[in-house]
């Protein structure tokens, strides 16, 4: 089961604030897994969006950033329809419209996923490295295999005259450790 959760996290770049101490909390873990699947299967969720979910007693808090307002609304509707969700607190922000930011997103994505070190990530149905650009500031989120991949992704993202790069990528080991602590 741990492996399935790690793979779900890696595939969708979702993070959880789920405590696993009692039976009701176990229900929260199942709700979180269902949320992950719902976001992962949303066809308009791209590498330029980032959604995080926290679940406590059936109350879901969604955070992150998406490129279009309809995505925020669609994701909320998808999550609200999941069995066990009592309420959704949607704190997902919509990134401002900017052709310059759009161009940066594409250029950075090509640099990262076009690099031979990241071809295995790019071939996944839901590539795990997400590129959030807001006012020429870049944030990388998601999961990579190693510290080397994390550093290389950051390096590739800095090539385009961006104002800053925040590297929030986590390694598989870090994700695994955080899940083990939750158990």
């Amino acid at each position: 089961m741990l492996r399935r959760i790690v793979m779900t996290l890696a595939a969708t770049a979702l993070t959880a604030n789920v405590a696993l101490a009692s039976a009701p909390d176990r229900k929260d873990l199942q709700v979180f897994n269902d949320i992950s699947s719902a976001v992962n299967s949303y066809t308009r969720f791209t590498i330029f969006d980032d959604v995080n979910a926290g679940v406590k007693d059936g109350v879901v808090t969604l955070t992150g950033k998406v490129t279009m307002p309809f995505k925020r609304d669609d994701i909320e509707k998808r999550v609200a329809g999941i069995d066990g969700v009592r309420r959704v607190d949607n704190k997902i922000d919509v990134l401002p419209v900017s052709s310059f930011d759009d161009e940066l997103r594409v250029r950075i994505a090509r640099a990262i996923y076009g690099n031979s070190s990241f071809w295995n990530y790019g071939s996944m149905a839901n590539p795990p490295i997400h590129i959030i650009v807001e006012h020429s500031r870049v944030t990388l989120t998601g999961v990579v295999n190693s510290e080397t991949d994390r550093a290389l992704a950051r390096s590739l993202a800095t090539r385009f005259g961006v104002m800053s790069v925040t590297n929030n990528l986590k390694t598989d080991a870090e994700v695994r450790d955080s899940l083990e602590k939750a158990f």
Side-chain angles (χ1 to χ4, degrees):
M1 182 171 184
L2 175 62
R3 183 175 184 95
R4 185 173 132 234
I5 295 166
V6 171
M7 294 306 294
T8 300
L9 284 170
T12 63
L14 288 173
T15 58
N17 300 318
V18 179
L20 302 174
S22 64
D25 293 331
R26 192 131 187 72
K27 176 80 170 160
D28 285 346
L29 177 61
Q30 182 58 48
V31 169
F32 174 76
N33 286 334
D34 292 346
I35 292 167
S36 179
S37 294
V39 173
N40 193 26
S41 65
Y42 179 50
T43 58
R44 295 180 183 218
F45 184 71
T46 71
I47 61 171
F48 306 124
D49 304 308
D50 180 48
V51 174
N52 302 290
V55 182
K56 182 154 176 77
D57 298 326
V59 177
V60 177
T61 303
L62 297 173
T63 59
K65 297 182 184 270
V66 293
T67 54
M68 300 297 286
F70 71 84
K71 291 181 181 184
R72 176 191 59 209
D73 300 339
D74 287 355
I75 289 170
E76 179 180 3
K77 287 176 190 169
R78 292 171 74 87
V79 169
I82 293 172
D83 186 39
V85 172
R86 293 185 313 124
R87 188 178 85 232
V88 177
D89 186 11
N90 190 350
K91 297 180 179 179
I92 298 172
D93 293 325
V94 178
L95 294 165
V97 175
S98 166
S99 58
F100 185 74
D101 284 354
D102 288 343
E103 184 180 319
L104 278 175
R105 286 181 189 106
V106 171
R107 291 172 72 191
I108 293 168
R110 283 184 182 150
I112 290 173
Y113 287 112
N115 185 292
S116 61
S117 296
F118 295 103
W119 287 349
N120 59 328
Y121 297 108
S123 66
M124 294 178 179
N126 293 298
I129 300 171
H130 289 247
I131 303 154
I132 308 305
V133 180
E134 185 172 16
H135 302 298
S136 300
R137 289 175 174 79
V138 178
T139 302
L140 300 175
T141 64
V143 181
V144 292
N145 291 331
S146 67
E147 186 63 41
T148 303
D149 287 351
R150 179 183 7 218
L152 179 57
R154 184 191 189 292
S155 175
L156 292 168
T158 60
R159 293 183 174 178
F160 302 100
V162 299
M163 294 185 77
S164 66
V165 176
T166 302
N167 193 346
N168 291 337
L169 291 170
K170 297 192 181 329
T171 64
D172 284 333
E174 290 170 331
V175 171
R176 216 175 7 260
D177 289 345
S178 67
L179 288 172
E180 288 173 1
K181 288 178 186 176
F183 287 103

